[in-house]
Amino acid sequence: MRTRGTALRVHVTADDLARVRFAPRPAPLQELHAALTTALAPLPGPPSALLRPWRARVLRSLPAAAEPLAALVPAGRPPSFLDVLGDTLPDAFERIRATGPGVVRSELERVYGKLPAPSWLRGLYAGEETAWRSVHRAQRAAYETVLAPVWPVVQDLHREEFTRYALATAEHGVAAALTALAPGSRLHGGVWEWEGEGEGGQRWDRGWGRRHGEDGGSGAVGPASGEPVREVRLGGRGLVLLPTFHHPAGPLLQDLPGRPVVLTYPAGPGLGLPPSPEGVQDPYEALAGVLGRTRAEALRVLAEPRTTSALARALKVSNATASAHAAALRAAGLVTTARTGRSVSHERTPLGGLLAATGVAEAPVPRAPKP
Protein backbone atom coordinates (compact mmCIF):
# COMPACT_ATOMS: atom_id res chain seq x y z
CA MET A 1 0.00 0.00 0.00
CA ARG A 2 1.31 3.44 -0.90
CA THR A 3 1.21 6.26 1.59
CA ARG A 4 1.88 9.85 0.75
CA GLY A 5 4.12 12.04 2.85
CA THR A 6 6.64 14.84 2.66
CA ALA A 7 9.64 13.77 0.51
CA LEU A 8 11.42 17.14 0.16
CA ARG A 9 11.66 20.10 2.51
CA VAL A 10 13.42 23.22 1.24
CA HIS A 11 14.19 25.67 4.06
CA VAL A 12 13.86 29.20 2.68
CA THR A 13 14.98 32.41 4.41
CA ALA A 14 13.83 35.93 3.56
CA ASP A 15 17.17 36.45 1.78
CA ASP A 16 16.53 33.30 -0.28
CA LEU A 17 13.10 34.52 -1.38
CA ALA A 18 14.78 37.68 -2.65
CA ARG A 19 17.26 35.49 -4.57
CA VAL A 20 14.80 33.12 -6.23
CA ARG A 21 15.25 33.34 -9.98
CA PHE A 22 13.97 31.45 -12.99
CA ALA A 23 16.54 30.14 -15.47
CA PRO A 24 16.19 32.46 -18.50
CA ARG A 25 16.72 29.62 -20.97
CA PRO A 26 16.86 25.80 -20.95
CA ALA A 27 20.15 24.09 -20.10
CA PRO A 28 20.86 21.51 -22.82
CA LEU A 29 23.03 19.21 -20.71
CA GLN A 30 20.55 19.14 -17.82
CA GLU A 31 17.68 18.48 -20.24
CA LEU A 32 19.73 15.73 -21.85
CA HIS A 33 20.34 14.12 -18.45
CA ALA A 34 16.62 14.38 -17.66
CA ALA A 35 15.80 12.73 -20.99
CA LEU A 36 18.32 9.94 -20.40
CA THR A 37 16.85 9.39 -16.92
CA THR A 38 13.41 8.98 -18.42
CA ALA A 39 14.61 6.80 -21.29
CA LEU A 40 17.16 4.57 -19.57
CA ALA A 41 16.54 4.45 -15.82
CA PRO A 42 13.84 2.34 -14.16
CA LEU A 43 10.64 4.29 -13.57
CA PRO A 44 8.62 4.02 -10.32
CA GLY A 45 5.79 2.39 -12.26
CA PRO A 46 5.04 1.07 -15.75
CA PRO A 47 5.48 3.78 -18.42
CA SER A 48 2.31 5.17 -19.95
CA ALA A 49 1.28 4.03 -23.39
CA LEU A 50 2.36 7.45 -24.68
CA LEU A 51 5.82 7.25 -23.06
CA ARG A 52 6.63 3.62 -23.84
CA PRO A 53 7.22 4.06 -27.61
CA TRP A 54 9.42 7.11 -26.99
CA ARG A 55 11.64 5.15 -24.57
CA ALA A 56 11.90 2.27 -27.03
CA ARG A 57 12.85 4.59 -29.90
CA VAL A 58 15.55 6.33 -27.84
CA LEU A 59 17.07 2.99 -26.87
CA ARG A 60 17.10 1.88 -30.51
CA SER A 61 18.54 5.10 -31.89
CA LEU A 62 21.36 5.92 -29.45
CA PRO A 63 24.59 5.58 -31.49
CA ALA A 64 27.69 3.69 -30.43
CA ALA A 65 29.48 7.03 -29.96
CA ALA A 66 27.27 7.68 -26.91
CA GLU A 67 28.45 4.53 -25.08
CA PRO A 68 31.09 6.34 -22.93
CA LEU A 69 28.20 8.03 -21.10
CA ALA A 70 27.06 4.63 -19.86
CA ALA A 71 30.58 3.95 -18.57
CA LEU A 72 30.46 7.21 -16.62
CA VAL A 73 27.19 6.23 -14.94
CA PRO A 74 27.57 2.66 -13.64
CA ALA A 75 24.45 1.32 -11.93
CA GLY A 76 22.74 4.65 -12.60
CA ARG A 77 25.05 6.64 -10.29
CA PRO A 78 26.46 9.71 -12.10
CA PRO A 79 29.59 11.49 -10.86
CA SER A 80 29.00 15.02 -9.61
CA PHE A 81 31.27 16.65 -12.20
CA LEU A 82 28.70 15.86 -14.92
CA ASP A 83 26.14 17.98 -13.08
CA VAL A 84 26.71 21.47 -14.45
CA LEU A 85 24.60 24.20 -16.00
CA GLY A 86 25.40 25.94 -19.26
CA ASP A 87 23.55 27.84 -21.95
CA THR A 88 25.05 25.68 -24.70
CA LEU A 89 26.45 22.17 -24.88
CA PRO A 90 30.06 23.42 -25.46
CA ASP A 91 29.72 25.77 -22.49
CA ALA A 92 28.51 22.92 -20.27
CA PHE A 93 31.34 20.68 -21.45
CA GLU A 94 33.93 23.36 -20.68
CA ARG A 95 32.57 23.55 -17.14
CA ILE A 96 32.87 19.78 -16.82
CA ARG A 97 36.39 19.89 -18.26
CA ALA A 98 37.38 22.52 -15.68
CA THR A 99 36.72 20.08 -12.81
CA GLY A 100 39.84 19.45 -10.76
CA PRO A 101 41.50 16.04 -11.28
CA GLY A 102 41.13 15.20 -7.59
CA VAL A 103 37.34 15.61 -7.75
CA VAL A 104 37.15 13.62 -11.00
CA ARG A 105 39.12 10.75 -9.49
CA SER A 106 37.23 10.66 -6.18
CA GLU A 107 33.86 10.81 -7.92
CA LEU A 108 34.72 7.99 -10.33
CA GLU A 109 35.96 5.89 -7.42
CA ARG A 110 32.77 6.64 -5.52
CA VAL A 111 30.36 5.68 -8.30
CA TYR A 112 32.28 2.51 -9.18
CA GLY A 113 32.96 1.41 -5.60
CA LYS A 114 34.43 -2.07 -5.75
CA LEU A 115 33.51 -2.59 -9.39
CA PRO A 116 36.34 -2.55 -11.96
CA ALA A 117 36.29 0.69 -13.96
CA PRO A 118 37.23 0.85 -17.67
CA SER A 119 40.90 1.75 -18.02
CA TRP A 120 40.18 4.76 -20.26
CA LEU A 121 38.44 6.54 -17.38
CA ARG A 122 41.80 6.99 -15.68
CA GLY A 123 42.68 9.29 -18.55
CA LEU A 124 40.05 11.77 -17.34
CA TYR A 125 41.76 12.56 -14.05
CA ALA A 126 45.16 12.21 -15.71
CA GLY A 127 44.16 15.05 -18.03
CA GLU A 128 44.39 13.03 -21.24
CA GLU A 129 42.64 14.92 -24.02
CA THR A 130 41.74 11.69 -25.86
CA ALA A 131 39.62 10.54 -22.91
CA TRP A 132 37.91 13.92 -22.55
CA ARG A 133 37.21 14.07 -26.29
CA SER A 134 35.44 10.71 -25.99
CA VAL A 135 33.16 12.17 -23.32
CA HIS A 136 32.50 15.26 -25.43
CA ARG A 137 31.70 13.16 -28.51
CA ALA A 138 29.39 10.96 -26.43
CA GLN A 139 27.46 13.97 -25.12
CA ARG A 140 27.18 15.42 -28.59
CA ALA A 141 26.02 12.11 -30.08
CA ALA A 142 23.36 11.64 -27.40
CA TYR A 143 22.21 15.25 -27.77
CA GLU A 144 21.91 15.00 -31.56
CA THR A 145 19.86 11.82 -31.27
CA VAL A 146 17.62 12.63 -28.30
CA LEU A 147 17.30 16.40 -28.04
CA ALA A 148 18.35 18.16 -31.25
CA PRO A 149 15.19 17.15 -33.18
CA VAL A 150 12.95 18.71 -30.49
CA TRP A 151 15.21 21.45 -29.09
CA PRO A 152 13.17 24.28 -30.69
CA VAL A 153 10.12 22.82 -28.96
CA VAL A 154 11.95 22.71 -25.62
CA GLN A 155 12.93 26.37 -26.07
CA ASP A 156 9.34 27.35 -26.84
CA LEU A 157 8.02 25.43 -23.85
CA HIS A 158 10.64 27.01 -21.61
CA ARG A 159 9.59 30.50 -22.70
CA GLU A 160 5.97 29.63 -21.96
CA GLU A 161 6.86 28.29 -18.51
CA PHE A 162 9.02 31.36 -17.82
CA THR A 163 6.10 33.62 -18.74
CA ARG A 164 3.68 31.62 -16.62
CA TYR A 165 5.95 31.87 -13.57
CA ALA A 166 6.57 35.61 -14.11
CA LEU A 167 2.84 36.33 -14.33
CA ALA A 168 2.09 34.22 -11.25
CA THR A 169 4.81 36.07 -9.31
CA ALA A 170 3.52 39.47 -10.42
CA GLU A 171 -0.10 38.66 -9.60
CA HIS A 172 0.21 36.50 -6.47
CA GLY A 173 3.77 36.78 -5.14
CA VAL A 174 6.80 34.48 -5.02
CA ALA A 175 5.35 32.04 -2.49
CA ALA A 176 2.24 31.36 -4.57
CA ALA A 177 4.31 31.07 -7.77
CA LEU A 178 6.61 28.49 -6.14
CA THR A 179 3.81 26.26 -4.91
CA ALA A 180 2.11 26.51 -8.31
CA LEU A 181 5.16 24.81 -9.85
CA ALA A 182 4.46 21.66 -7.84
CA PRO A 183 0.78 20.88 -7.30
CA GLY A 184 0.35 19.60 -3.76
CA SER A 185 3.39 21.41 -2.41
CA ARG A 186 3.07 24.12 0.23
CA LEU A 187 5.20 26.92 1.65
CA HIS A 188 4.70 27.78 5.30
CA GLY A 189 6.94 28.70 8.20
CA GLY A 190 9.86 29.23 5.83
CA VAL A 191 9.72 25.64 4.52
CA TRP A 192 8.70 24.59 1.01
CA GLU A 193 7.37 21.03 1.29
CA TRP A 194 6.98 18.68 -1.66
CA GLU A 195 4.78 15.64 -1.28
CA GLY A 196 6.10 12.23 -2.23
CA GLU A 197 5.26 8.56 -2.03
CA GLY A 198 5.94 6.42 1.00
CA GLU A 199 6.98 2.79 1.08
CA GLY A 200 6.54 1.09 -2.26
CA GLY A 201 5.95 4.37 -4.06
CA GLN A 202 7.92 6.79 -6.17
CA ARG A 203 11.57 7.49 -5.51
CA TRP A 204 13.20 10.61 -6.86
CA ASP A 205 16.83 9.48 -6.81
CA ARG A 206 16.92 7.26 -9.85
CA GLY A 207 19.48 7.08 -12.62
CA TRP A 208 20.77 10.34 -13.99
CA GLY A 209 18.36 12.09 -11.63
CA ARG A 210 20.70 11.72 -8.68
CA ARG A 211 22.66 14.77 -7.58
CA HIS A 212 25.88 14.73 -5.60
CA GLY A 213 27.90 17.39 -3.86
CA GLU A 214 31.60 17.76 -4.62
CA ASP A 215 32.40 16.08 -1.32
CA GLY A 216 30.63 12.96 -2.55
CA GLY A 217 27.62 13.43 -0.31
CA SER A 218 24.35 12.39 -1.84
CA GLY A 219 22.10 15.08 -3.16
CA ALA A 220 19.34 12.64 -4.04
CA VAL A 221 15.76 13.66 -3.50
CA GLY A 222 13.40 11.29 -1.74
CA PRO A 223 13.75 8.38 0.66
CA ALA A 224 17.17 7.17 -0.45
CA SER A 225 19.07 4.95 1.98
CA GLY A 226 16.03 4.74 4.21
CA GLU A 227 15.73 8.50 4.74
CA PRO A 228 12.03 9.45 4.64
CA VAL A 229 12.63 13.18 4.07
CA ARG A 230 15.29 15.16 2.23
CA GLU A 231 16.11 18.42 4.02
CA VAL A 232 17.66 21.22 1.94
CA ARG A 233 18.77 24.45 3.63
CA LEU A 234 19.38 27.33 1.25
CA GLY A 235 20.99 29.48 3.95
CA GLY A 236 20.85 32.65 1.87
CA ARG A 237 22.34 31.04 -1.25
CA GLY A 238 19.13 31.48 -3.23
CA LEU A 239 17.30 29.16 -5.59
CA VAL A 240 17.37 28.70 -9.38
CA LEU A 241 14.25 27.18 -10.95
CA LEU A 242 14.79 25.15 -14.12
CA PRO A 243 11.87 23.35 -15.81
CA THR A 244 12.42 20.07 -17.61
CA PHE A 245 10.13 18.61 -20.24
CA HIS A 246 11.60 15.11 -20.36
CA HIS A 247 11.37 13.93 -16.76
CA PRO A 248 7.84 13.49 -15.41
CA ALA A 249 8.70 11.58 -12.22
CA GLY A 250 9.74 14.32 -9.78
CA PRO A 251 12.27 17.06 -8.97
CA LEU A 252 16.00 16.81 -9.61
CA LEU A 253 18.21 18.76 -7.25
CA GLN A 254 21.70 20.26 -7.50
CA ASP A 255 22.96 21.29 -4.07
CA LEU A 256 26.66 22.20 -4.17
CA PRO A 257 28.43 24.07 -1.34
CA GLY A 258 28.59 27.84 -1.74
CA ARG A 259 26.36 27.91 -4.82
CA PRO A 260 22.67 28.61 -5.37
CA VAL A 261 20.58 25.45 -5.20
CA VAL A 262 19.22 24.47 -8.62
CA LEU A 263 15.84 22.75 -8.61
CA THR A 264 14.91 21.10 -11.89
CA TYR A 265 11.19 20.39 -11.79
CA PRO A 266 8.93 18.52 -14.22
CA ALA A 267 6.86 20.98 -16.25
CA GLY A 268 4.05 20.17 -18.66
CA PRO A 269 3.17 19.27 -21.19
CA GLY A 270 6.56 17.75 -22.11
CA LEU A 271 6.52 13.97 -21.82
CA GLY A 272 4.54 14.03 -18.59
CA LEU A 273 1.40 12.97 -20.41
CA PRO A 274 -1.58 11.28 -18.77
CA PRO A 275 -1.33 7.50 -18.48
CA SER A 276 -3.41 5.35 -20.76
CA PRO A 277 -6.81 4.15 -19.60
CA GLU A 278 -6.90 0.81 -17.80
CA GLY A 279 -6.39 -2.04 -20.22
CA VAL A 280 -5.54 0.15 -23.23
CA GLN A 281 -2.31 -0.99 -24.86
CA ASP A 282 -2.36 0.67 -28.27
CA PRO A 283 -0.60 4.10 -28.22
CA TYR A 284 -3.07 5.62 -30.67
CA GLU A 285 -5.93 4.55 -28.42
CA ALA A 286 -4.14 6.20 -25.49
CA LEU A 287 -3.85 9.46 -27.42
CA ALA A 288 -7.52 9.22 -28.38
CA GLY A 289 -8.34 8.80 -24.70
CA VAL A 290 -6.59 12.10 -23.98
CA LEU A 291 -7.70 14.20 -26.95
CA GLY A 292 -10.74 12.35 -28.23
CA ARG A 293 -10.64 10.06 -31.26
CA THR A 294 -11.45 12.69 -33.88
CA ARG A 295 -8.95 15.23 -32.58
CA ALA A 296 -6.25 12.55 -32.31
CA GLU A 297 -6.92 11.70 -35.95
CA ALA A 298 -6.84 15.40 -36.85
CA LEU A 299 -3.43 15.77 -35.19
CA ARG A 300 -2.21 12.77 -37.15
CA VAL A 301 -3.33 14.02 -40.56
CA LEU A 302 -2.11 17.60 -39.96
CA ALA A 303 1.51 16.55 -40.35
CA GLU A 304 1.31 18.78 -43.44
CA PRO A 305 -0.93 21.80 -44.02
CA ARG A 306 -4.57 21.12 -44.87
CA THR A 307 -7.41 23.48 -45.53
CA THR A 308 -10.51 23.22 -43.37
CA SER A 309 -12.38 21.46 -46.15
CA ALA A 310 -9.50 19.01 -46.76
CA LEU A 311 -9.37 18.29 -43.03
CA ALA A 312 -13.13 17.76 -42.98
CA ARG A 313 -12.87 15.25 -45.85
CA ALA A 314 -10.05 13.37 -44.09
CA LEU A 315 -12.06 13.19 -40.86
CA LYS A 316 -15.39 12.55 -42.64
CA VAL A 317 -17.06 15.42 -40.77
CA SER A 318 -18.59 18.75 -41.73
CA ASN A 319 -16.44 21.82 -42.33
CA ALA A 320 -17.85 23.43 -39.18
CA THR A 321 -16.94 20.39 -37.07
CA ALA A 322 -13.45 20.22 -38.57
CA SER A 323 -12.96 23.92 -37.82
CA ALA A 324 -14.06 23.39 -34.21
CA HIS A 325 -11.61 20.51 -33.73
CA ALA A 326 -8.79 22.56 -35.26
CA ALA A 327 -9.65 25.44 -32.91
CA ALA A 328 -9.46 23.13 -29.88
CA LEU A 329 -6.06 21.78 -30.96
CA ARG A 330 -4.89 25.34 -31.67
CA ALA A 331 -5.90 26.44 -28.16
CA ALA A 332 -3.76 23.60 -26.76
CA GLY A 333 -0.77 24.76 -28.83
CA LEU A 334 -0.80 21.65 -31.01
CA VAL A 335 -1.96 23.26 -34.28
CA THR A 336 -1.46 26.59 -36.04
CA THR A 337 -3.92 28.21 -38.42
CA ALA A 338 -3.01 30.57 -41.27
CA ARG A 339 -5.29 32.50 -43.62
CA THR A 340 -4.38 33.27 -47.23
CA GLY A 341 -7.16 35.22 -48.90
CA ARG A 342 -10.29 33.14 -48.43
CA SER A 343 -8.35 29.97 -47.73
CA VAL A 344 -7.64 28.80 -44.16
CA SER A 345 -5.04 26.09 -43.58
CA HIS A 346 -4.06 24.20 -40.44
CA GLU A 347 -0.77 22.48 -39.56
CA ARG A 348 0.81 20.77 -36.55
CA THR A 349 3.06 22.91 -34.35
CA PRO A 350 6.44 21.64 -33.13
CA LEU A 351 4.69 20.65 -29.88
CA GLY A 352 2.13 18.69 -31.88
CA GLY A 353 5.02 17.08 -33.72
CA LEU A 354 6.70 16.21 -30.41
CA LEU A 355 3.53 14.48 -29.28
CA ALA A 356 3.37 12.67 -32.60
CA ALA A 357 7.03 11.67 -32.20
CA THR A 358 6.20 9.57 -29.12
CA GLY A 359 5.00 6.97 -31.58
CA VAL A 360 1.28 7.59 -31.29
CA ALA A 361 0.99 9.10 -34.75
CA GLU A 362 3.54 7.21 -36.79
CA ALA A 363 1.08 5.57 -39.16
CA PRO A 364 1.45 6.71 -42.77
CA VAL A 365 -0.48 9.91 -43.40
CA PRO A 366 -2.16 10.20 -46.80
CA ARG A 367 -1.08 13.35 -48.57
CA ALA A 368 -3.69 16.00 -49.07
CA PRO A 369 -4.49 16.70 -52.74
CA LYS A 370 -2.87 19.84 -54.03
CA PRO A 371 -5.36 22.72 -54.47
Side-chain angles (χ1 to χ4, degrees), residues 268-340:
L271 291 173
L273 297 166
S276 60
E278 188 70 25
V280 173
Q281 299 299 324
D282 181 69
Y284 175 77
E285 292 297 327
L287 180 62
V290 175
L291 299 179
R293 186 173 299 277
T294 304
R295 288 175 187 170
E297 179 66 10
L299 185 65
R300 186 179 74 84
V301 302
L302 288 176
E304 62 178 46
R306 288 178 184 255
T307 64
T308 300
S309 58
L311 178 61
R313 287 193 297 272
L315 299 179
K316 297 180 174 60
V317 298
S318 68
N319 283 10
T321 300
S323 180
H325 286 310
L329 293 172
R330 184 170 64 250
L334 302 178
V335 164
T336 59
T337 298
R339 178 180 293 275
T340 305

Side-chain angles (χ1 to χ4, degrees), residues 20-54:
V20 173
R21 64 183 181 89
F22 201 98
R25 57 192 62 85
L29 190 59
Q30 290 288 67
E31 190 71 15
L32 177 62
H33 289 177
L36 291 175
T37 298
T38 305
L40 306 178
L43 294 176
S48 73
L50 295 177
L51 183 57
R52 193 182 305 115
W54 180 85

